[in-house]
């Protein structure tokens, strides 16, 4: 192997671009050195190797840094594309949050505030996207930080958001913040924002715990989802919850393996009490339920038994006054219907008065409002609760001596209360 | 393609120069030279104490070209060697200014050292 060939191999230590630009010249110079020096001496080769060993790493580092500059330019191009996407997604977020406004109006306080915060977060993300496009990095950072705070506050207040909105709300600002800081040296604010998010995520997970208390709901086959009114007792036990299901008839069930993730409630139903040997209904083997969170605050979904039979289950959190349109009119015995029949003096929201006459007609319970001069059916929801036909609220009766003595309910505009007068 | 990053910077902004770089600028102060001629000039001027290898030389030339202190003139064969065509390099106006500024800086240092009698007094 000739000396020049060895030197050509040594040249591979240099960055490819440098080699392409100066390699032929360096070989010429080496050839001159060989001509003027003694290529067979150790000293000659020692000087060649020392030269390569000293200069090649430095040039490699320079090439890597230059590549870093190119990467920075690439990141900025990506940032512009991301900013355009952000503007569109934020517009979608604003629309999505605003479209939930009608649902929010049915809930007081926290839900409404959460929606307002969600809209504010989307607007801030929108502004951040525009700022990035205008190359205003600092305003973009501030807007993204503020958006993140608003979004986290909204999520903590009320978990109404879908997974897609949460991706926009959390992942997009965090990703953009990291990208905005990445090409430059890391800053305290950037690090602090990441730490803040890290600290808040466990809080967010905790926010997805079922509220304790008495839940209501319905269960039934897929063609009659509200066949059986049921109640749930949700009790806190340390960091977890214990839930018991009480059907209107039959044995109680226990909810096991409760997981609430991405607004979907999953659990397995088991009979609460051990069964005698040989008596093994489906519940003993576990019924798997998947209940996505609904816009009205309920968890509604399907349960699948070990035999593959599916049924529908609906869980309404404590304090829910909303009756779903899907809830059917449950059957009542004639004696039960008679216990509600009578005339009730009603106090309406804002101090209005009404007289409600509840009567039975062709086996159905109906109510006539003298205030509205209107008659409508009362649809039994179970547990002493009725939904006036065409409404989205329930009235719950109280009993004394097997006879309804009054009722109360919460409409969109406030509380109504009735007292039997006759 | 090289980019001149030094546009608009004053000559003093480049100081102090690495010894090898100053040697190259000094060599090119006499006129345009190809790579091996620069190496020979540096070795001769330093009495053999500074020996630039091809890697060190072209690495420094690359940086000087990017900084705009040196430019390529043309490519031609060395009449003394009469072989392949070689690239020739020459100082730019900025390169001259930087070399001059570095020489003044070193001169001030040498005068300071002389005042402190660290080296011999210059004969009158």
């Amino acid at each position: 192997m000739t000396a020049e060939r060895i030197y050509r191999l040594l040249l591979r230590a240099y960055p490819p671009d440098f080699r392409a630009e100066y390699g032929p010249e360096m070989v010429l110079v080496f050839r001159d050195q060989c001509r003027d020096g003694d290529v067979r001496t150790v000293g000659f080769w020692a000087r060649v190797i020392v030269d390569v060993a000293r200069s090649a790493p430095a040039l490699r580092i320079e090439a890597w840094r230059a590549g870093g500059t190119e990467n920075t330019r690439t990141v900025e191009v990506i940032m512009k594309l991301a900013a355009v996407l952000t503007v569109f997604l934020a517009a979608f977020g604003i629309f999505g949050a605003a479209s939930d406004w009608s649902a929010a109006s049915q809930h007081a306080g926290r839900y409404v505030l959460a929606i307002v915060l969600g809209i504010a977060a989307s607007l801030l993300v929108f502004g951040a996207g525009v700022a990035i496009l205008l190359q205003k990095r600092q305003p973009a950072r501030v807007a993204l930080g503020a958006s993140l705070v608003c979004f986290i506050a909204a999520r903590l207040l009320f978990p109404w958001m879908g997974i897609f909105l949460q991706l926009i709300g959390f992942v997009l600002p965090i990703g953009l913040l990291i990208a905005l800081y990445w090409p430059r040296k890391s800053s305290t604010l950037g690090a602090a924002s990441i730490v803040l998010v890290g600290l808040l995520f466990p809080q967010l997970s905790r926010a997805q715990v079922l509220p304790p208390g008495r839940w209501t709901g319905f269960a039934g086959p897929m063609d009659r989802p509200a066949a059986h009114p049921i109640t749930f007792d949700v009790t806190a036990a340390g960091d977890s919850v214990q839930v018991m299901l009480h059907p209107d008839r039959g044995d109680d069930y226990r909810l096991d393996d409760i997981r609430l993730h991405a607004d979907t409630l999953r659990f397995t139903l088991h009979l609460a009490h051990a069964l005698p040997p040989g008596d093994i209904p489906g519940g003993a083997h576990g019924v798997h339920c998947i209940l996505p969170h609904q816009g009205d605050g309920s968890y509604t979904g399907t349960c699948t038994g070990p035999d593959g039979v599916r049924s529908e289950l609906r869980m309404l959190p404590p304090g829910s006054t909303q009756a779903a349109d899907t809830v059917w009119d449950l059957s009542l015995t004639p004696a039960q219907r008679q216990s509600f029949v009578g005339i009730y003096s009603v106090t309406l929201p804002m101090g209005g008065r009404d007289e409600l006459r509840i009567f039975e007609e062709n086996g159905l319970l109906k109510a006539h409002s003298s205030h509205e001069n209107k008659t409508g059916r009362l649809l039994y929801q179970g547990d002493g609760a009725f939904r006036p036909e065409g409404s989205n609220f329930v009235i719950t009766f109280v009993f004394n001596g097997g006879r309804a003595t009054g009722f109360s309910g919460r409409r969109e505009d406030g509380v109504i209360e009735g007292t039997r007068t006759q | 393609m090289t980019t001149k990053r030094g546009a608009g910077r004053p000559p003093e902004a480049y100081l102090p120069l690495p010894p090898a770089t100053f040697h190259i600028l000094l060599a090119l102060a006499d006129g345009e030279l190809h790579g091996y001629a620069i190496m020979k000039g540096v070795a001769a001027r330093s009495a053999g104490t500074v020996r630039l290898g091809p890697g060190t030389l072209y690495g420094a030339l690359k940086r000087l070209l990017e900084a705009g202190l040196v430019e390529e003139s043309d490519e031609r064969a060395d009449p003394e060697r009469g072989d392949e065509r070689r690239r020739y390099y020459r100082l730019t106006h900025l390169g001259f200014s930087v070399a001059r500024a570095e020489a003044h800086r070193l001169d001030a240092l040498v005068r300071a050292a002389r005042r402190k009698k660290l080296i011999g007094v210059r004969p009158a």
Side-chain angles (χ1 to χ4, degrees):
Chain A
M1 186 179 280
T2 63
E4 187 176 317
R5 216 160 167 189
I6 294 170
Y7 189 69
R8 283 182 190 277
L9 282 175
L10 288 173
L11 281 181
R12 291 181 180 276
Y14 292 94
D17 287 351
F18 179 82
R19 208 164 59 230
E21 180 73 22
Y22 300 103
E25 287 284 311
M26 290 167 75
V27 170
L28 271 182
V29 169
F30 180 76
R31 202 178 289 162
D32 289 334
Q33 284 182 309
C34 292
R35 205 176 292 154
D36 294 348
D38 189 352
V39 75
R40 287 168 300 186
T41 60
V42 175
F44 177 88
W45 283 106
R47 280 196 296 276
V48 169
I49 289 168
V50 167
D51 176 55
V52 173
R54 281 172 58 182
S55 56
L59 286 162
R60 284 268 177 196
I61 290 169
E62 281 177 26
W64 178 74
R65 281 185 182 155
T69 310
E70 287 299 316
N71 291 342
T72 302
R73 288 197 196 102
T74 308
V75 166
E76 283 179 359
V77 170
I78 292 169
M79 283 296 289
K80 281 185 182 168
L81 291 173
V84 173
L85 182 69
T86 301
V87 167
F88 281 109
L89 286 177
F92 175 80
I94 295 165
F95 176 77
S99 66
D100 282 327
W101 184 261
S102 56
S105 63
Q106 293 165 13
H107 296 259
R110 297 205 311 176
Y111 195 177
V112 175
L113 185 56
I115 294 282
V116 170
L117 283 168
I119 292 174
S122 300
L123 281 169
L124 284 162
V125 170
F126 186 91
V130 173
I132 293 169
L133 283 175
L134 296 174
Q135 296 190 326
K136 308 279 186 193
R137 298 169 72 96
Q138 193 56 28
R141 288 187 191 118
V142 172
L144 287 169
S147 157
L148 210 51
V149 170
C150 285
F151 201 85
I152 289 167
R155 184 65 182 77
L156 288 172
L157 274 170
F158 201 91
W160 101 91
M161 301 158 193
I163 189 71
F164 185 64
L165 271 180
Q166 291 189 48
L167 277 174
I168 296 173
F170 290 122
V171 178
L172 199 64
I174 293 170
L176 287 172
L177 272 172
I178 292 171
L180 280 170
Y181 281 106
W182 190 261
R184 304 174 79 174
K185 63 180 181 182
S186 57
S187 72
T188 312
L189 182 61
S193 61
I194 291 168
V195 170
L196 180 71
V197 171
L199 288 172
L200 282 169
F201 260 116
Q203 297 295 325
L204 294 172
S205 329
R206 287 236 296 269
Q208 285 213 309
V209 171
L210 295 175
R214 169 67 60 97
W215 290 52
T216 55
F218 300 93
M222 300 302 285
D223 57 338
R224 289 198 67 221
H228 305 290
I230 48 181
T231 54
F232 301 84
D233 279 326
V234 180
T235 52
D239 287 339
S240 60
V241 290
Q242 286 184 346
V243 186
M244 294 293 292
L245 185 158
H246 312 291
D248 59 339
R249 62 180 75 90
D251 295 314
D252 290 347
Y253 284 77
R254 188 181 71 243
L255 274 65
D256 290 330
D257 303 325
I258 303 168
R259 283 171 292 151
L260 182 53
H261 181 65
D263 283 343
T264 298
L265 179 62
R266 290 178 170 82
F267 54 83
T268 307
L269 283 173
H270 285 102
L271 279 167
H273 305 292
L275 293 166
D279 185 3
I280 310 173
H285 290 289
V287 178
H288 300 288
C289 300
I290 301 173
L291 279 61
H293 188 250
Q294 306 297 317
D296 59 4
S298 73
Y299 290 91
T300 305
T302 54
C303 296
T304 309
D307 49 3
V309 175
R310 298 173 70 204
S311 55
E312 187 161 319
L313 182 63
R314 181 175 175 80
M315 293 177 68
L316 292 157
S320 173
T321 58
Q322 193 177 11
D325 293 337
T326 54
V327 174
W328 290 30
D329 182 15
L330 301 177
S331 57
L332 288 166
T333 63
Q336 285 174 320
R337 285 195 294 273
Q338 278 302 313
S339 67
F340 297 101
V341 170
I343 297 173
Y344 296 82
S345 171
V346 181
T347 305
L348 297 170
M350 312 298 287
R353 305 289 300 180
D354 192 6
E355 188 180 72
L356 199 69
R357 184 169 64 86
I358 296 177
F359 59 98
E360 188 180 353
E361 188 178 87
N362 299 326
L364 299 173
L365 269 184
K366 294 188 174 181
H368 174 80
S369 161
S370 59
H371 180 67
E372 297 178 0
N373 194 21
K374 200 170 85 176
T375 301
R377 277 190 61 194
L378 288 176
L379 305 174
Y380 186 48
Q381 311 292 293
D383 225 15
F386 288 87
R387 176 167 65 92
E389 193 173 33
S391 73
N392 64 350
F393 67 95
V394 294
I395 52 175
T396 306
F397 283 83
V398 289
F399 292 86
N400 190 2
R403 191 163 174 257
T405 55
F407 64 83
S408 65
R410 182 183 286 276
R411 298 197 321 202
E412 288 176 17
D413 52 350
V415 174
I416 61 169
E417 285 179 335
T419 309
R420 180 189 283 273
T421 55
Q422 193 180 326
Chain B
M1 183 180 162
T2 56
T3 53
K4 292 182 179 178
R5 291 181 299 194
R9 291 174 71 191
E12 291 73 22
Y14 295 88
L15 307 186
L17 292 175
T21 303
F22 186 53
H23 274 292
I24 293 169
L25 293 183
L26 275 182
L28 292 174
D30 297 331
E32 57 184 41
L33 295 172
H34 57 72
Y36 190 61
I38 296 171
M39 283 171 65
K40 298 276 280 180
V42 169
R45 190 170 296 106
S46 63
T49 55
V50 179
R51 285 171 180 268
L52 300 177
T56 308
L57 171 71
Y58 282 96
L61 279 174
K62 174 180 175 285
R63 293 180 201 109
L64 289 168
L65 283 162
E66 287 175 355
L69 305 187
V70 164
E71 61 189 1
E72 287 181 25
S73 54
D74 57 359
E75 206 172 85
R76 58 182 185 274
D78 184 349
E80 286 183 16
R81 297 196 166 260
D83 54 6
E84 292 168 65
R85 295 162 68 85
R86 296 160 187 267
R87 285 187 208 169
Y88 280 72
Y89 300 92
R90 65 179 171 220
L91 287 184
T92 61
H93 180 71
L94 177 64
F96 267 115
S97 304
V98 170
R100 194 177 293 122
E102 177 69 354
H104 281 301
R105 187 184 72 83
L106 292 173
D107 183 50
L109 280 176
V110 170
R111 277 189 275 127
R114 188 168 284 129
R115 277 197 299 274
K116 292 179 180 297
K117 303 198 189 310
L118 293 174
I119 54 175
V121 179
R122 187 184 288 181

